[in-house]
Amino acid sequence: MRVGTVCYCTEQGIGYLPKWFYDAGVITDVVLYHHSSRTNRREWYPPDTPYLAVRNLTQNDAVEDMVNAVDALLFFETPFDWDILKLAHEYGKRTYIVPMYECTPKHIPVEPTRWLCPSLLDQRDYFPGNPFLQIPVPPDTVWKRRTTARCFLHNGGHLGLHGHKGTLEIMRAMEHVKSSVNLTIAVQDEQGFEKLLRQVPGVANDDRVAIVRRGRHHDSLFAYGDVFVMAEKYNGLSLPLIEAWASGMCVVTSDRFPMNTWLPQKPLIPVTSYTTTHISGAYMEFSEATISPENIAAKIDELYGADISEYSEQGRAFAEANSWDKLKPVWMEELSK
């Protein structure tokens, strides 16, 4: 079976996902779409991989050739040009989208053959009647036993839409943390992070906080630290949480659905309230959690110095149960239907 896609080749979730599916042999045919504001890693794919920077993708022979050649098309978050789905259906090809519900148009231009929900929240609230398929643990994840909660890590990355990773709240939490923690904040969006620092200038002078700009190399980010901290506001699928948990870290994040269905309950941060919002009027509404810095600080202080060996072992079990070896057949079966 041949499965095609159009995708970014950038160091972010929407770029990593197609790469992992390609490396695993689920996706066989790729057309790359140029990202205008990120570094494009064309070397991830063979040199002859088509690389486009045009809006109307269906008017390019490379796209039509791919659609004609494959049995199915698999997209992550967006097909970039919804007319690709029309073209695929005209050719009698199956189409699948792994959605990010908060970035899904309120009015879908063309329905795919099926939505493949990457979280229970996507399935329950936005795409009912479609299957939930667990995203496999990233292939470069290495489990490491963690024993005592001393070094904490927050990956701010590109900071996310609406600050959904809770980077600002975690920075403010350090004003309330009483324990002698070591907190590393890794960021890729330097300009955006400078704006946050202006709101919490004390963080830069806090001896307990190390700021790593430009982030860490992806395959080594989760080798550091004992506890991974995020104050997630609305994600259904959160790749950093999956990676941190599978690498053996204790994961501290918001006590909200669906994270509280697969992560241990005790390290989770209480949610203060929820607000209905959207990234813009053209996109689906969602519930955004409010997490107070005081609650984040209380959880950090509660965990500091604690034995987290059991959490680390549970992370290893999660990694084994959700490996590519275990889940690739599940994805192939669904794409074959």
Side-chain angles (χ1 to χ4, degrees), residues 112-257:
T113 304
R114 186 165 291 179
W115 299 90
L116 303 180
C117 301
S119 81
L120 293 173
L121 180 57
D122 290 88
Q123 184 189 51
R124 185 191 72 179
D125 294 351
Y126 299 95
F127 307 98
N130 290 278
F132 161 59
L133 289 186
Q134 176 68 46
I135 297 294
V137 170
D140 55 6
T141 302
V142 177
W143 181 85
K144 174 184 173 183
R145 181 178 174 82
R146 327 289 167 125
T147 56
T148 307
R150 298 196 184 281
C151 297
F152 289 62
L153 168 69
H154 171 67
N155 179 31
H158 296 289
L159 302 179
L161 294 167
H162 288 204
H164 72 81
K165 298 180 179 183
T167 304
L168 179 61
E169 288 81 358
I170 290 169
M171 293 165 66
R172 284 178 169 158
M174 289 306 295
E175 298 175 333
H176 305 279
V177 171
K178 300 173 183 176
S179 50
S180 301
V181 301
N182 292 314
L183 171 66
T184 295
I185 301 175
V187 293
Q188 290 172 270
D189 182 354
E190 293 191 69
Q191 186 175 1
F193 186 68
E194 286 299 325
K195 293 179 180 178
L196 299 186
L197 271 180
R198 286 196 287 272
Q199 298 180 61
V200 197
V203 168
N205 300 315
D206 191 329
D207 293 339
R208 299 170 300 173
V209 180
I211 298 170
V212 179
R213 299 171 189 273
R214 300 187 182 276
R216 291 172 179 265
H217 193 269
H218 181 263
D219 59 7
S220 64
L221 176 65
F222 299 100
Y224 170 85
D226 309 303
V227 180
F228 187 72
V229 185
M230 287 183 74
E232 270 290 359
K233 297 180 181 181
Y234 54 76
N235 260 4
L237 166 68
S238 177
L239 288 176
L241 296 184
I242 290 176
E243 293 172 271
W245 183 225
S247 71
M249 301 180 78
C250 172
V251 175
V252 173
T253 191
S254 314
D255 187 1
R256 49 172 288 271
F257 185 84

